[in-house]
Amino acid sequence: MEKMDATNSSIAISRRDFLIASTATVAWLAMGGLPITARAAVPFVLPSLSYAVNALEPVISGRTISFHYGKHHRGYVDNLNKLIGGTEYADLPLEKIIIGTAGHTEKAAIFNNAAQVWNHTFYWKSMTPKGGGEPPNELKRKMEASFGSVEACKKELASAAVSQFGSGWAWLVLDGDKLKAVKTASADLPLTMGMKPVLTVDVWEHAYYLDYQNRRAEYVNAVLDKLINWEFALQNAC
């Protein structure tokens, strides 16, 4: 994935590329990567949101988005640039940095910041103003095949989000040809587990505390019912 800018932040995944890619590239595609091209080492930049900071109200306030996106996400980008400057990771795409540092204690700071840059970008794409509602038919069929119903899928995803102890993420993933709901702690993500992310819900406290305080379940259900971007999920589930 090239370092992202305001005009290059789409995260659509091609089944054909996913099936024919090498192991490293499969993982990169599972993260929703963009075309890999040769480039000089330049700093990562904060990718633009596809909607205004107040566009997710009243579910998520503009105040929360301004802190979450403008402070936390930006902080991960800035920290990553500082950590990889002058290292072997300085000219690598984001997903290769994540794969190359995962599980290496001495590289935990690089992994955490790189993974959080990717996780947050995927999270913003997983929501859309006036989202939620009924999934597209193709995705609905996949959800029914894996969970029995759309509501059962949402229930398992909500359960993963609410039961994650401490900071982390709930994910709808494609594991082989089956959809699953999984959770990860801190900055961890399905990329390192060989699963393909379909959508995510952020359950770090900074994602919801200004609006919901300790009512995580209320936040999660509101996102799934009113904001979740099923069209984006469909792109990633194909």
Side-chain angles (χ1 to χ4, degrees), residues 65-82:
I65 298 294
S66 66
F67 277 101
H68 193 176
Y69 170 75
K71 302 294 185 181
H72 291 277
H73 194 174
R74 183 181 298 278
Y76 294 126
V77 173
D78 292 344
N79 288 339
L80 178 61
N81 285 327
K82 292 175 185 177

Side-chain angles (χ1 to χ4, degrees), residues 1-5 37-45 77 80-82 84-86 89-94 97:
M1 173 175 171
E2 285 194 277
K3 296 181 179 181
M4 296 170 287
D5 57 29
T37 58
R39 57 166 173 75
V42 294
F44 284 100
V45 297
V77 173
L80 178 61
N81 285 327
K82 292 175 185 177
I84 65 174
Y89 302 106
D91 60 351
L92 292 181
L94 186 60
I97 296 174

Side-chain angles (χ1 to χ4, degrees), residues 135 140 143-160 172 179-181 224 230:
K140 183 177 180 180
M143 295 165 79
E144 290 172 342
S146 297
F147 296 95
S149 68
V150 172
E151 286 307 311
C153 174
K154 290 170 61 177
K155 184 176 180 180
E156 286 203 31
L157 188 56
S159 177
L172 184 65
L179 290 172
K180 293 181 179 179
L224 292 175
W230 293 126

Side-chain angles (χ1 to χ4, degrees), residues 99-113:
I99 293 171
T101 57
H104 296 279
T105 304
E106 73 281 6
K107 298 173 182 176
I110 294 176
F111 171 81
N112 286 335
N113 283 277

Side-chain angles (χ1 to χ4, degrees), residues 4-225:
M4 296 170 287
D5 57 29
T7 62
N8 196 20
S9 60
S10 173
I11 311 182
I13 299 172
S14 145
R15 172 176 286 275
R16 175 179 176 275
D17 289 343
F18 180 77
L19 292 173
I20 66 174
S22 65
T23 300
T25 306
V26 164
W28 168 78
L29 285 168
M31 294 291 288
L34 295 166
I36 296 175
T37 58
R39 57 166 173 75
V42 294
F44 284 100
V45 297
L46 184 69
S48 298
L49 293 176
S50 61
Y51 39 78
V53 294
N54 64 348
L56 304 183
E57 292 182 343
V59 177
I60 301 177
S61 69
R63 183 166 180 248
T64 288
I65 298 294
S66 66
F67 277 101
H68 193 176
Y69 170 75
K71 302 294 185 181
H72 291 277
H73 194 174
R74 183 181 298 278
Y76 294 126
V77 173
D78 292 344
N79 288 339
L80 178 61
N81 285 327
K82 292 175 185 177
L83 289 165
I84 65 174
T87 73
E88 68 269 33
Y89 302 106
D91 60 351
L92 292 181
L94 186 60
E95 289 79 7
K96 287 192 174 182
I97 296 174
I98 292 168
I99 293 171
T101 57
H104 296 279
T105 304
E106 73 281 6
K107 298 173 182 176
I110 294 176
F111 171 81
N112 286 335
N113 283 277
Q116 286 292 73
V117 171
W118 194 91
N119 289 352
H120 280 84
T121 302
F122 198 81
Y123 171 62
W124 305 128
K125 294 286 185 179
S126 293
M127 298 183 293
T128 188
K130 298 180 180 179
E134 194 78 2
N137 286 336
E138 185 177 354
L139 179 60
K140 183 177 180 180
R141 287 192 293 270
K142 289 177 179 288
M143 295 165 79
E144 290 172 342
S146 297
F147 296 95
S149 68
V150 172
E151 286 307 311
C153 174
K154 290 170 61 177
K155 184 176 180 180
E156 286 203 31
L157 188 56
S159 177
V162 173
S163 64
Q164 168 55 39
F165 183 77
S167 301
W169 303 82
W171 305 83
L172 184 65
V173 301
L174 195 61
D175 188 9
D177 60 356
K178 185 178 178 65
L179 290 172
K180 293 181 179 179
V182 300
K183 57 187 176 182
T184 61
S186 300
D188 288 340
L189 65 169
L191 169 65
T192 60
M193 299 181 284
M195 294 182 287
K196 184 180 181 183
V198 172
L199 58 82
T200 193
V201 179
D202 187 345
V203 291
W204 282 64
E205 283 193 341
H206 60 242
Y208 62 89
Y209 205 83
L210 289 177
D211 299 325
Y212 295 89
Q213 288 77 55
N214 64 333
R215 304 189 308 277
R216 181 189 284 187
E218 185 178 336
Y219 152 75
V220 169
N221 287 322
V223 168
L224 292 175
D225 288 341

